Amino acid sequence: MTYTSLEQRTAQGYLDVFPLFIPEESASVSIEEQKEFYDIMKKLYKLAYDEPQLFVPKLHEDAVPPMLFSGRSDSEQETLTNMKKFRKSVDTLICQMYLMGIGSEYTLNTRQKKILAGLGIADFTKLSPAWEWMAKKEHLERFEQPSRFAHCCFREEYLYAADIFEKAFDNTALGKLKGWMTAHGYKPFQIYNTTASDCKFSLTYANPAWSEETPRGGFEYKIKHTGISMRYEPCCREPWILGVCIPGGMKLYLEHFDEMPEHVQDFVMSRIKRCDGCRYCVQTDKTGKRPFARIAVQYADKKYNLCPYYPGYSFWWTSIDDTLADNIIGLLGFMDKFIGNKK
């Protein structure tokens, strides 16, 4: 796809993850009022795409951003910085719109007032009833973003994220994986404040047998359930991301490496990090006596020392095919044998 500027490329992300209009029929506001607010938000994202110069002082020539978790050249870092600046300008306006909706104190600069005027909003004391209703549905914790508000997720139990991410990864392979997870008790969770992501709106399939806690989203940190997490990274070269959720890191499973089916061993070895002596696992040791956290395994008649930390940085992809679906199913099935033996 061709973009007229880097900022227009960035704005595409808002349109990519904006769901179809699915209203709450039993709400205190009418379907027509919900549609009015939906149209305002959709028009905002379309305006960001069509006229990005309204949001930032300067546009930049389009460039390809780096891949997720990859090293960055100076030019790629500059690209990433400029993309994030543009997203911040849009997200800041959304936060002010949210504050307006809940009747809290808000601040609009000249640029933001001009954007709202472009959306047909001139009198800030007369907001759409659905605007106020949606804002008051959020109940945000500190530092959280009004993601439900921003994506017009009107209906409480509807999985808007499933429509978006399953369409993005639409193929029989994902259907196979989803079918296996559903048959084994996994549940879908729509996440509005995904940890460590530039887009807080994501979809997780998790096995609730591991923990009563609701998944936090993502697949890198504080994972307490087996499953998969799908998300959109707007500042990455390949933004549609699917990763395996591995609770507690790989230590428990690598300690039982010899019990893995052969195809699961092959899969793990194709992704897992070999210990390279980086010393991350002993960085707080002042005695110099703490051993490395690496775990020795025997594979294909050779001995390997494997790192058990942060497997989420390795077990992720930008697409899925039948082979990957089978491998993920094999790994999830193996990990689920340890539900009662968590460390």
Side-chain angles (χ1 to χ4, degrees):
M1 194 167 182
T2 303
Y3 300 100
T4 60
S5 67
L6 181 63
E7 286 71 20
Q8 188 180 71
R9 174 189 289 272
T10 311
Q12 180 65 48
Y14 291 96
L15 295 171
D16 283 345
V17 294
F18 192 62
L20 296 174
F21 177 61
I22 307 292
E24 173 56 78
E25 297 178 359
S26 61
S28 58
V29 294
S30 69
I31 292 176
E32 291 75 18
E33 288 168 330
Q34 293 175 61
K35 184 62 164 61
E36 179 185 357
F37 176 66
Y38 177 90
D39 289 343
I40 288 172
M41 297 307 293
K42 186 173 183 179
K43 189 175 179 181
L44 170 64
Y45 304 137
K46 191 68 169 61
L47 188 65
Y49 182 88
D50 291 336
E51 300 183 56
Q53 70 277 6
L54 294 176
F55 292 78
V56 289
K58 178 184 176 181
L59 299 184
H60 298 83
E61 184 179 352
D62 187 32
V64 179
M67 291 290 288
L68 184 66
F69 304 142
S70 67
R72 301 161 190 165
S73 65
D74 289 344
S75 62
E76 286 178 326
Q77 182 58 54
E78 183 179 2
T79 294
L80 191 61
T81 298
N82 289 326
M83 294 181 80
K84 288 179 178 290
K85 284 181 179 178
F86 183 80
R87 283 193 64 87
K88 183 178 180 180
S89 71
V90 178
D91 292 343
T92 299
L93 176 56
I94 293 171
C95 284
Q96 296 307 309
M97 294 172 68
Y98 160 74
L99 293 174
M100 293 164 69
I102 62 173
S104 185
E105 183 178 349
Y106 64 90
T107 303
L108 294 173
N109 59 34
T110 301
R111 184 182 299 278
Q112 292 167 334
K113 290 177 181 178
K114 184 177 179 180
I115 292 170
L116 291 178
L119 302 179
I121 303 163
D123 188 347
F124 302 146
T125 65
K126 296 181 180 179
L127 304 179
S128 158
W131 181 333
E132 297 178 344
W133 172 72
M134 273 303 297
K136 292 170 183 176
K137 282 167 65 74
E138 281 281 14
H139 305 298
L140 297 183
E141 299 293 333
R142 191 181 182 191
F143 302 125
E144 289 186 345
Q145 297 180 5
S147 185
R148 186 194 303 266
F149 174 86
H151 293 90
C152 294
C153 297
F154 302 112
R155 192 181 300 179
E156 197 71 33
E157 302 301 326
Y158 190 84
L159 290 173
Y160 295 86
D163 291 345
I164 294 168
F165 290 97
E166 290 175 7
K167 181 179 179 181
F169 290 96
D170 184 27
N171 57 31
T172 57
L174 180 62
K176 177 194 295 187
L177 175 56
K178 179 183 172 183
W180 182 90
M181 292 189 295
T182 300
H184 288 78
Y186 286 63
K187 304 294 183 184
F189 295 87
Q190 187 162 261
I191 312 297
Y192 293 105
N193 203 49
T194 306
T195 302
S197 175
D198 285 322
C199 180
K200 298 301 179 183
F201 191 48
S202 70
L203 177 67
T204 289
Y205 279 89
N207 186 345
W210 280 86
S211 173
E212 295 180 355
E213 291 186 29
T214 300
R216 302 166 65 94
F219 44 80
E220 298 98 319
Y221 308 109
K222 299 183 179 180
I223 303 302
K224 297 188 177 181
H225 311 75
T226 50
I228 64 169
S229 178
M230 291 180 278
R231 71 178 194 240
Y232 185 92
E233 288 296 345
C235 300
C236 291
R237 184 178 306 171
E238 298 285 347
W240 298 100
I241 307 293
L242 180 151
V244 177
C245 301
I246 301 174
M250 287 295 289
K251 183 176 186 295
L252 174 61
Y253 318 110
L254 292 179
E255 288 175 342
H256 295 270
F257 183 84
D258 59 346
E259 299 171 26
M260 292 180 185
E262 184 177 347
H263 75 280
V264 177
Q265 288 187 350
D266 294 340
F267 181 51
V268 168
M269 292 300 293
S270 73
R271 308 298 299 187
I272 198 77
K273 178 187 174 183
R274 275 65 165 171
C275 177
D276 58 8
C278 74
R279 303 189 64 82
Y280 174 85
C281 58
V282 295
Q283 62 181 317
T284 59
D285 177 32
K286 297 181 180 180
T287 67
K289 298 179 180 180
R290 183 191 302 171
F292 286 169
R294 62 193 178 195
I295 297 174
V297 304
Q298 196 77 17
Y299 174 73
D301 298 324
K302 292 183 179 180
K303 182 180 178 181
Y304 295 88
N305 290 315
L306 306 180
C307 176
Y309 286 178
Y310 302 113
Y313 284 95
S314 301
F315 288 83
W316 64 273
W317 301 265
T318 58
S319 62
I320 183 171
D321 58 20
D322 284 338
T323 300
L324 179 55
D326 289 337
N327 283 331
I328 292 176
I329 288 170
L331 179 58
L332 293 177
F334 179 77
M335 292 191 294
D336 282 344
K337 294 179 180 180
F338 298 91
I339 289 175
N341 189 28
K342 302 184 285 291
K343 290 188 178 180

